[in-house]
Amino acid sequence: MRIAEISTPEHFQAAAAPDSQSPSQNQHNQLLSQIQSKIKQTESHPPGTPLPDSLPSELRQLLTNLTQLAPFPAANNSLKLHLWKLSYRLWNACVDFSNAAAIRSPSSNRSSQNVTKLRHVAADMLSLAADVVGVHSPAIKSASFYYKTGLAWHDHKIFDLASTCFERATDLLSKLDVSKILDAEERKLLLDLNLARSRTAWEISDKNLALTLLNRSKTLLFGSSAHFIALANQFLAFAKAVLSRNENNGSFNDVLKLLNEALNLCEKGLSISRTREETVEIKELKSKTMRFISAVHLQNGEFESVIKCVKVLRENGGEKGDHHASLPVLAMKAWLGLGRYSEAEKELKGMVVNKGIPEGVWVSAVETYFHAVGNAGVETTKGVFLGLLERCHVSARAALRVIHRVVGDGNGIEGLRTRGKVVAELASDERVVALFASEAVAKERTAMHAVLWNCGSGNFRLKDYETSAEMFEKSMLYIPHDLENRVIRAKGYRVFISNKMKVQALDPNIICAFLKFKICLQKNDHCGATNQIQKMISCPDFTPDFLSLAAHEAVASRALPVAVAALSNFLNFYNSGKPMPTTEVVVLRTLVTILSQDLDKEAEVLKFLKQAHKRASELGAESFLGKGEVGRREQNWFAVTSWNFGAKCGKEKNYELCAEFLRLVSGFYSLMGVGQMEENNVTICKSLIMTVSAMIASENENTTPLPDAEVKHAVELLERAGKILTSLSVGNIEGDIHFIYVLNAYDMHGRLNNLESQHHIVKNFAGTKTCSPQYLLQIGLNASQGPRFNAEVATFALSECLSGFLSSPSPNYQDVALIVRRLIAIASIHKGNTDDDAVLSMYKQAYRIMVGLKEGEYPTEEGKWLAMTAWNRAAIPVRMGEINVAKKWMNAGLELARKVAGMETYQAYMEDYVAEFEKKFHTQIAGEIQPQKVQ
């Protein structure tokens, strides 16, 4: 689009011809004359032919020379106006080249880049002219040039130049009061610039900056529904980009965050839409976003969330609600995931009447349903398939896929018999047979015959001859009646006929000993009562029932140690093989209950709990604990008791016993099999994690390092906990527990010098919903100091933390600055000597964060630290003669200083030094000019 040239007012024309000119003005005019000559050359160049490569570089050099004479005197408005008009002429010439290339044929990439280089020169010229008296909103016009040039560089995938243009435009607009911008096009430029800059940041994998810019864009919507749609579409585009990479480790959480942002923007946009067209467009975008949210929830196994989304989509708008073809498929898969097969069946049957569902989609849905339901879904699958035959044309390939899925592996004789009957009904249906009649589907017909033949063979091997005969009979429907296939037909008849043919005690006595026991109890002679128990056992007519009775008497008399002694002896008789009056588990449970009533008996409680676990392991859970509900209650009692004692010992700082008790919790829950473990996964996970925490606490209290065997055992416990955490749904996981797990796992793997596992654990945690930036900050600080230093983990955790803080609508830049400083310190230590660019990239990232922020929003002291340290890093490269490296650091320091209030003096010094450096480094050795450190 060409831009109209500015008409020159009379007072400008009068000022254009002064009586006398200074030497500086002569230089200006001479350079402007050369630039004008080159622009005329550009305007006269045939649009259909490629531009010479030298033209953009020559114009760029002339502009560079002119820039060295800037800034221009405020009174010399005619010079600025001349430069302004030259910029517009060059820009319009570039538009002509682009339009001509679009009409005739696509131009070469090199020629197109030359046009973009000229656009960039035009934008720099307009920026150099700065404010021109009589021109409305010069900063916005200049920013518009940079914005359009940045889009062109982005299309060429030269993202560094695109980013530079967008940042220049942002700088120009950041000086304006946004609230005073009333023009709709200018407001749209503010939003479009932020979105374009965000897309470029995304392309160069600067995700933090991309999301920060999107969040900043929320302040640039100006109550326009079109702006809400544009921002929502960008969030949706980023979500699709993350999904397309097929990443795990938290990508689902990132996608949901982006999609929820898009959804919120749609809802806010609906509330302010004024026209019917706007409302329809926003509603369509909202429905599309919710469908993506449903798909993400489905991939993440959050089936209830999928059902909620589908319900909202269908109910929104009454009869005009969303009836997209993907909704029944999403709903069916979600119901299957929840194990609610009747609802899944309703969704599957509903697909029959939905003509918008492609064949491949419903065939895949039928396969998914049947895979989940198995034999129970055979009849439903048959009904859906026959319904589809009536509704629309079904291909032979689709029919083959469905029947092959129904045949499956059979799951035993009954499964094969059930499936065989349904397959026979489907295969013999006239409509299905007709699908395979033509020669165009000969390959599919042969495959169908093979499926039916193999199914008949399987039933024959299982001696289900009736079903086998039926399958062989149906397979012959798919053998053409020609000479070439008569051998196969004859073979079929033979096996069919074959199946049809097959279808046809002494003194002292126990009473006296027990009476003496009761007398001791009445006299509160606990020692005597305990000794009497041994005498009772030695009686010829003794039976274990008397020990049970003695325990009851002791409990009634509040002689708890005596009761413990009686029951402890009672346990010794369970290995004799004799019938016992009560189960061993009841005796142990009673012992633990009695000991729980006394103080300082934790060690004895632990002994009997361990014994209970050992006996259950030896005898089997059902033999020891009991079957069914009884066994489950006993298991829960021992597990909960172990947990409570572990918690009690932990509060009392008896960490050694605490670890032992908590270790038993998972042991008890694992006794009753996988089903019981899944019901108590949360408790098992907590106990495993807290066991390791108690081990570490005991080590710290005793100041004695854990032995290697204990460290390896702790790693095993944490591996079990990690698997459980992965299987748990988000609502069941407490953030603190997951965080403690990560800290413990990081500690233990560090002791084994397993740095890769440390990084893997922290990376997985960062991808969960329970993770927060504060957790990552603590992990990053922990990894960057102390005996478990791991530079990769520290860098990853702090980088993810930085991403989280910047994703906030109102980031706390004090925290952001803290993380940036720590990341620079880690990069300096870990990569500084070998990868100087890694450290430099951190400073550049800090600069991008500061671009567009208001004065003082980024902590001033931290900004000064960044600028001064970046500048000071140029000293060593200068001494070493590494001029390019020195220039990078000096430029980085100077750019940062320009963004920090209060550094004007430093900035002036830096600019003077850079100018001197540029002039002299070609003629002097590097040692003669060294940047002085900024104090």
Side-chain angles (χ1 to χ4, degrees):
M1 176 178 177
R2 291 176 62 87
I3 300 174
E5 295 183 3
I6 300 174
S7 58
T8 308
E10 292 181 5
H11 64 277
F12 284 169
Q13 295 174 355
D19 295 334
S20 62
Q21 294 182 335
S22 67
S24 175
Q25 289 175 326
N26 288 331
Q27 287 181 312
H28 290 159
N29 293 333
Q30 183 180 0
L31 287 171
L32 285 175
S33 176
Q34 293 175 5
I35 291 173
Q36 184 172 358
S37 174
K38 290 297 180 183
I39 291 175
K40 286 182 179 179
Q41 180 183 343
T42 304
E43 291 172 332
S44 62
H45 189 84
T49 59
L51 284 168
D53 293 341
S54 60
L55 186 58
S57 59
E58 290 171 354
L59 264 172
R60 169 60 65 186
Q61 184 59 48
L62 290 171
L63 182 60
T64 300
N65 296 337
L66 185 62
T67 302
Q68 293 174 354
L69 302 175
F72 306 123
N76 199 348
N77 196 62
S78 60
L79 176 65
K80 297 180 181 180
L81 181 62
H82 190 189
L83 186 60
W84 188 282
K85 294 183 68 176
L86 289 176
S87 170
Y88 270 68
R89 286 175 56 187
L90 180 58
W91 183 272
N92 288 335
C94 293
V95 173
D96 291 339
F97 284 123
S98 298
N99 291 340
I103 293 172
R104 289 188 175 90
S105 61
S107 59
S108 67
N109 186 54
R110 186 171 181 177
S111 176
S112 180
Q113 284 190 20
N114 283 336
V115 175
T116 304
K117 289 177 182 178
L118 290 177
R119 287 179 184 267
H120 203 155
V121 172
D124 287 340
M125 288 171 64
L126 204 64
S127 175
L128 184 61
D131 296 339
V132 179
V133 178
V135 176
H136 175 68
S137 302
I140 293 179
K141 289 181 171 60
S142 182
S144 175
F145 271 33
Y146 277 120
Y147 164 67
K148 293 173 183 177
T149 305
L151 292 179
W153 282 128
H154 187 97
D155 291 340
H156 289 305
K157 300 187 182 303
I158 304 178
F159 300 117
D160 56 340
L161 291 178
S163 179
T164 299
C165 289
F166 294 144
E167 288 173 4
R168 291 292 301 275
T170 302
D171 278 337
L172 289 168
L173 296 177
S174 65
K175 301 172 184 177
L176 304 178
D177 187 350
V178 176
S179 62
K180 295 182 179 178
I181 299 177
L182 302 178
D183 184 77
E185 289 297 322
E186 292 177 356
R187 286 182 168 184
K188 189 172 186 300
L189 173 63
L190 294 174
L191 177 65
D192 290 345
L193 174 59
N194 246 25
L195 296 182
R197 189 179 168 204
S198 177
R199 287 192 295 269
T200 300
W202 187 275
E203 290 292 345
I204 61 176
S205 300
D206 194 346
K207 182 180 175 184
N208 292 343
L209 180 60
L211 297 181
T212 300
L213 290 169
L214 285 191
N215 282 304
R216 290 183 191 172
S217 300
K218 296 176 184 177
T219 63
L220 304 174
L221 300 177
F222 301 109
S224 167
S225 59
H227 289 191
F228 278 92
I229 292 171
L231 183 54
N233 269 317
Q234 193 57 62
F235 273 110
L236 181 60
F238 283 172
K240 290 180 181 179
V242 176
L243 277 176
S244 66
R245 292 198 296 265
N246 294 322
E247 294 179 354
N248 293 323
N249 301 326
S251 65
F252 289 127
N253 296 332
D254 294 339
V255 171
L256 283 177
K257 288 179 184 177
L258 295 168
L259 291 174
N260 284 327
E261 290 285 359
L263 185 61
N264 291 335
L265 288 166
C266 290
E267 291 173 349
K268 293 177 181 177
L270 278 174
S271 65
I272 63 168
S273 60
R274 297 180 178 85
T275 65
R276 182 178 179 276
E277 290 76 11
E278 289 178 349
T279 303
V280 170
E281 184 178 1
I282 297 177
K283 284 185 176 181
E284 289 178 354
L285 179 58
K286 179 181 177 182
S287 296
K288 183 178 181 181
T289 303
M290 288 196 68
R291 290 196 296 271
F292 271 99
I293 291 175
S294 301
V296 173
H297 281 308
L298 184 65
Q299 291 186 50
N300 209 19
E302 298 170 350
F303 305 116
E304 292 182 356
S305 298
V306 178
I307 297 301
K308 291 178 182 177
C309 289
V310 172
K311 185 177 180 181
V312 170
L313 284 167
R314 286 174 171 172
E315 293 178 352
N316 191 18
E319 294 182 357
K320 296 183 180 180
D322 195 345
H323 299 289
H324 194 269
S326 64
L327 294 186
V329 180
L330 290 168
M332 185 206 72
K333 291 183 177 181
W335 287 125
L336 290 175
L338 292 171
R340 298 176 63 175
Y341 301 128
S342 59
E343 284 83 355
E345 181 180 339
K346 291 178 185 178
E347 295 291 345
L348 185 62
K349 290 180 177 178
M351 294 183 197
V352 175
V353 297
N354 191 340
K355 296 184 178 181
I357 300 179
E359 178 184 272
V361 173
W362 64 252
V363 171
S364 176
V366 168
E367 290 179 327
T368 302
Y369 172 82
F370 195 75
H371 177 74
V373 178
N375 292 334
V378 170
E379 290 296 331
T380 299
T381 303
K382 181 186 76 173
V384 169
F385 182 70
L386 295 177
L388 289 167
L389 282 174
E390 296 176 358
R391 190 203 74 182
C392 61
H393 174 71
V394 177
S395 67
R397 183 182 297 275
L400 176 62
R401 281 180 61 183
V402 172
I403 291 177
H404 189 272
R405 172 60 67 182
V406 173
V407 170
D409 55 12
N411 293 326
I413 296 177
E414 291 302 321
L416 275 174
R417 182 179 289 116
T418 302
R419 297 186 181 204
K421 291 179 181 178
V422 173
V423 169
E425 292 178 16
L426 289 174
S428 60
D429 190 282
E430 293 179 356
R431 294 166 295 182
V432 177
V433 175
L435 296 176
F436 296 85
S438 68
E439 287 303 316
V441 292
K443 183 178 179 180
E444 285 78 7
R445 183 173 60 240
T446 302
M448 175 65 88
H449 174 267
V451 168
L452 297 173
W453 182 278
N454 293 337
C455 186
S457 300
N459 283 280
F460 185 88
R461 287 191 294 271
L462 294 173
K463 299 184 179 181
D464 181 7
Y465 302 118
E466 184 176 353
T467 304
S468 177
E470 188 173 16
M471 299 308 299
F472 283 123
E473 181 183 13
K474 304 309 178 189
S475 71
M476 288 189 287
L477 294 172
Y478 297 90
I479 303 175
H481 294 270
D482 53 26
L483 293 176
E484 295 179 2
N485 291 283
R486 61 182 179 178
V487 175
I488 299 175
R489 181 172 292 278
K491 184 178 179 181
Y493 276 119
R494 284 197 298 273
V495 295
F496 173 71
I497 294 171
S498 176
N499 275 279
K500 285 295 184 181
M501 292 176 65
K502 286 184 179 294
V503 167
Q504 296 245 73
L506 297 169
D507 193 53
N509 62 69
I510 187 62
I511 300 298
C512 293
F514 185 75
L515 288 174
K516 291 180 181 179
F517 171 79
K518 290 193 64 174
I519 292 170
C520 290
L521 288 178
Q522 290 175 4
K523 295 166 63 175
N524 287 325
D525 184 5
H526 294 175
C527 183
T530 302
N531 293 332
Q532 192 62 31
I533 290 174
Q534 298 300 322
K535 293 179 181 179
M536 289 166 56
I537 295 172
S538 63
C539 292
D541 55 346
F542 166 80
T543 61
D545 300 84
F546 284 95
L547 288 176
S548 178
L549 185 59
H552 281 290
E553 293 289 342
V555 171
S557 302
R558 301 301 300 167
L560 300 183
V562 179
V564 170
L567 293 175
S568 298
N569 282 282
F570 195 26
L571 288 174
N572 296 332
F573 291 90
Y574 281 93
N575 290 324
S576 63
K578 297 179 181 179
M580 300 295 288
T582 187
T583 59
E584 185 177 6
V585 67
V586 172
V587 177
L588 282 165
R589 173 160 47 79
T590 305
L591 267 169
V592 172
T593 303
I594 293 171
L595 288 168
S596 301
Q597 300 175 33
D598 208 348
L599 296 176
D600 301 322
K601 296 295 182 182
E602 289 80 10
E604 292 187 59
V605 171
L606 178 62
K607 181 184 74 172
F608 288 112
L609 286 174
K610 283 185 173 181
Q611 185 173 346
H613 183 264
K614 180 182 177 182
R615 292 292 291 165
S617 302
E618 292 174 349
L619 301 176
E622 289 189 350
S623 299
F624 180 76
L625 298 172
K627 297 181 179 180
E629 183 64 19
V630 174
R632 190 185 66 81
R633 286 199 300 268
E634 292 288 356
Q635 173 205 38
N636 285 339
W637 188 90
F638 280 99
V640 171
T641 300
S642 300
W643 176 270
N644 291 338
F645 270 94
K648 179 175 180 290
C649 291
K651 290 179 181 178
E652 295 171 355
K653 297 186 178 181
N654 190 346
Y655 299 117
E656 187 172 354
L657 284 179
C658 173
E660 293 291 335
F661 278 118
L662 293 175
R663 198 176 316 195
L664 282 172
V665 176
S666 60
F668 279 116
Y669 277 127
S670 63
L671 290 172
M672 296 295 286
V674 176
Q676 292 293 327
M677 288 181 65
E678 291 178 350
E679 292 179 7
N680 300 282
N681 267 344
V682 175
T683 305
I684 293 173
C685 184
K686 287 182 181 179
S687 67
L688 292 169
I689 294 170
M690 298 312 295
T691 298
V692 179
S693 295
M695 294 168 67
I696 296 172
S698 176
E699 176 192 44
N700 294 335
E701 187 179 50
N702 298 329
T703 64
T704 303
L706 285 175
D708 290 345
E710 285 293 299
V711 172
K712 292 179 180 178
H713 180 62
V715 170
E716 293 173 359
L717 296 178
L718 291 170
E719 286 178 352
R720 288 179 57 193
K723 291 178 182 178
I724 296 173
L725 281 172
T726 304
S727 67
L728 291 175
S729 61
V730 175
N732 293 330
I733 304 174
E734 296 177 13
D736 288 342
I737 287 295
H738 203 163
F739 174 61
I740 293 170
Y741 160 77
V742 174
L743 288 181
N744 289 345
Y746 178 89
D747 187 351
M748 290 302 160
H749 282 288
R751 296 170 190 242
L752 297 177
N753 201 28
N754 195 343
L755 305 183
E756 184 177 352
S757 295
Q758 286 181 313
H759 187 265
H760 179 72
I761 290 164
V762 175
K763 185 176 181 181
N764 284 347
F765 176 60
T768 63
K769 290 184 178 180
T770 56
C771 180
S772 71
Q774 292 298 335
Y775 288 152
L776 289 173
L777 178 58
Q778 190 166 344
I779 292 170
L781 294 176
N782 188 42
S784 64
Q785 59 194 10
R788 310 283 181 255
F789 175 79
N790 188 324
E792 290 186 3
V793 172
T795 301
F796 172 80
L798 291 174
S799 298
E800 289 295 310
C801 175
L802 180 61
S803 174
F805 282 139
L806 291 177
S807 297
S808 170
S810 301
N812 184 340
Y813 286 99
Q814 191 67 45
D815 291 336
V816 170
L818 169 65
I819 296 169
V820 168
R821 182 187 278 238
R822 183 56 65 96
L823 283 171
I824 289 173
I826 296 170
S828 299
I829 296 171
H830 188 56
K831 295 183 177 180
N833 295 329
T834 58
D835 189 0
D836 196 57
D837 288 340
V839 183
L840 181 61
S841 67
M842 293 305 305
Y843 283 90
K844 288 185 177 180
Q845 184 180 13
Y847 169 77
R848 293 192 188 100
I849 294 172
M850 295 167 69
V851 170
L853 295 182
K854 297 178 181 178
E855 181 176 335
E857 194 169 358
Y858 193 95
T860 303
E861 291 302 318
E862 291 296 325
K864 289 181 179 179
W865 181 86
L866 287 168
M868 290 190 290
T869 54
W871 178 264
N872 291 339
R873 285 179 180 271
I876 294 177
V878 169
R879 294 193 191 101
M880 300 298 293
E882 297 174 352
I883 302 303
N884 291 333
V885 176
K887 287 171 64 177
K888 287 181 181 178
W889 283 113
M890 285 190 285
N891 288 334
L894 181 55
E895 288 176 356
L896 288 165
R898 288 170 177 162
K899 295 297 177 184
V900 182
M903 291 198 72
E904 290 76 12
T905 303
Y906 292 106
Q907 180 182 337
Y909 162 75
M910 292 175 178
E911 289 173 346
D912 292 341
Y913 184 85
V914 170
E916 181 183 2
F917 186 87
E918 290 285 351
K919 293 176 181 177
K920 295 184 178 181
F921 83 92
H922 288 297
T923 58
Q924 296 184 4
I925 61 172
E928 294 179 355
I929 302 178
Q930 299 179 7
Q932 301 174 8
K933 288 195 174 183
V934 179
Q935 300 299 325

